[in-house]
């Protein structure tokens, strides 16, 4: 099993150049994964051009301002369609999963969020979403609890690690704070166990979706985190994947590739730790 994970933002904070996203999608087409996992934000609310309310798309005159829905429909969706089409041409069986973010510029739903076409409402018109689906993309909620070839994955575009550390629930030893915070998520059977909630934008009436289904700990947990560096780390036999973000505010970032070998013939006892590895790939400047 080969999974490629890319998390937004997909452009630097001072502009709307999505060439890093296109570079990541080109990598997927050249080295097709069985699963391509894209985590928002696709249009970052913290982007300076977006936050100004007067975004200008690359190649347009400085005064030619467009609306935020146009950023999605004229800029982001075409880049996704081109990348998805190249991947499906190279590997028709590849699965594409798209997860929204709390930082979507036009997404106002709290966690748990509906799929991207619902989360950003009319900004992602029905035809645009349907075009992505025709190319094999599945628009899934945030968080998403998935099963891929018998492997249980829990995925969110929100940082599930930093709230645990910020709440002071893990104090020592200092060199193992991240590992202990990850272990706490497993023990609490939830991505966001901290109360009061962090992130604060959680719909408590639907908060059960933040817990692991059936209180069963997944095999793999995927989420970007500002704490620590992009990595794959095993904790109590479970794999945590932090892909980093494709773009940091002023520098290019990273994405992750997860590789999982099949269990031995005859049902041998090879563990996930023995069968899985995570490679972190950085973008060229």
């Amino acid at each position: 099993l080969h999974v490629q994970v890319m998390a937004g933002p997909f452009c630097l904070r001072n502009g709307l150049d999505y060439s890093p996203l296109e570079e990541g999608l080109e990598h997927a087409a050249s080295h097709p994964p069985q699963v391509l996992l894209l985590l928002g934000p696709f249009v970052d609310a913290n982007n300076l051009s977006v936050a100004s309310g007067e975004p200008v798309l690359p190649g347009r005159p400085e005064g030619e301002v467009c609306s935020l829905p146009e950023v999605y429909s004229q800029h982001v969706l075409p880049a996704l369609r081109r990348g998805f089409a190249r991947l499906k041409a190279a590997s028709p069986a590849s699965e594409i999963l798209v997860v929204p973010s709390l930082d979507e510029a036009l997404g106002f739903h709290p966690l748990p969020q509906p799929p991207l076409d619902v989360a950003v409402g009319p900004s992602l018109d029905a035809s645009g979403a349907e075009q992505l689906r025709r190319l094999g993309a599945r628009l899934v909620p945030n968080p998403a609890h998935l099963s891929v070839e018998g492997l249980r994955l829990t995925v969110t575009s929100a940082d599930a690690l930093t709230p645990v550390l910020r709440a002071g629930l893990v104090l020592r030893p200092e060199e193992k704070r991240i590992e202990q915070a990850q272990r706490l998520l497993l023990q609490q059977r939830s991505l966001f166990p901290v109360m009061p909630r962090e992130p604060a934008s959680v719909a408590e009436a639907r908060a059960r979706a933040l817990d692991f289904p059936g209180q069963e700990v997944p095999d793999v947990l995927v989420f970007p985190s500002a704490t620590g560096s992009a990595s794959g780390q095993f904790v109590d036999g479970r794999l945590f994947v932090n892909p980093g973000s494709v773009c940091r505010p002023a520098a290019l970032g990273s994405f992750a590739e997860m590789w999982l070998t099949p269990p031995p013939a005859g049902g041998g006892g090879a563990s996930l730790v023995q069968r899985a590895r995570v490679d972190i790939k950085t973008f060229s400047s």
Side-chain angles (χ1 to χ4, degrees):
L1 177 65
H2 174 203
V3 180
Q4 179 178 331
V5 185
M6 296 196 298
F10 294 103
C11 56
L12 300 180
R13 187 162 288 184
N14 62 353
L16 291 171
D17 180 1
Y18 277 76
S19 56
L21 170 63
E22 294 178 330
E23 183 181 337
L25 292 173
E26 184 58 41
H27 177 88
S30 301
H31 306 82
Q34 285 158 281
V35 179
L36 173 63
L37 183 55
L38 293 180
L39 314 178
F42 294 92
V43 179
D44 182 17
N46 300 301
N47 181 281
L48 297 180
S49 180
V50 170
S52 73
E54 299 183 340
V56 177
L57 297 178
R60 302 274 184 92
E62 188 62 33
E64 191 175 322
V65 175
C66 66
S67 67
L68 292 181
E70 287 173 332
V71 177
Y72 280 100
S73 63
Q74 297 181 17
H75 197 46
V76 178
L77 286 179
L80 292 176
R81 287 197 297 267
R82 290 192 298 269
F84 292 176
R86 287 194 296 268
L87 172 58
K88 297 299 279 189
S91 175
S94 291
E95 188 171 8
I96 303 168
L97 303 174
V98 178
V99 182
S101 167
L102 289 173
D103 288 330
E104 293 293 343
L106 292 176
F108 305 107
H109 287 267
L111 285 176
Q113 288 180 293
L116 183 66
D117 56 331
V118 178
V120 301
S123 310
L124 191 66
D125 61 80
S127 63
E130 185 55 34
Q131 287 174 349
L132 295 183
R133 290 192 180 94
R134 282 202 298 268
L135 289 168
R138 284 175 54 199
L139 309 184
V140 299
N142 177 31
H145 306 286
L146 309 166
S147 178
V148 179
E149 296 194 2
L151 197 70
R152 292 172 300 168
L153 286 81
T154 285
V155 179
T156 180
S157 57
D159 185 345
L161 186 61
T162 300
V164 175
L165 296 169
R166 188 178 290 144
L169 299 179
V170 178
L171 301 177
R172 58 177 67 88
E174 181 66 29
E175 65 275 11
K176 291 192 174 182
R177 290 178 70 237
I178 290 178
E179 178 183 332
Q180 295 287 17
Q182 292 167 330
R183 180 171 289 112
L184 188 144
L185 297 180
L186 300 179
Q187 293 170 343
Q188 294 294 316
R189 304 293 199 272
S190 176
L191 285 169
F192 302 102
V194 175
M195 300 290 284
R197 294 287 188 182
E198 187 183 349
S201 49
V202 170
E204 290 298 336
R206 296 181 285 114
R208 187 178 295 274
L210 307 181
D211 299 338
F212 303 149
Q215 293 293 293
E216 293 186 12
V217 176
D219 301 302
V220 180
L221 297 92
V222 180
F223 54 82
S225 177
T227 300
S229 57
S231 64
Q233 184 171 350
F234 290 98
V235 176
D236 296 345
R238 265 51 179 194
L239 177 58
F240 284 83
V241 179
N242 173 10
S245 57
V246 167
C247 289
R248 300 190 292 271
L252 297 179
S254 61
F255 64 94
E257 289 188 287
M258 182 181 74
W259 305 83
L260 181 70
T261 60
S271 68
L272 184 65
V273 176
Q274 296 169 307
R275 296 165 47 215
R277 84 169 196 265
V278 174
D279 297 333
I280 300 300
K281 302 293 182 67
T282 56
F283 286 90
S284 57
S285 57

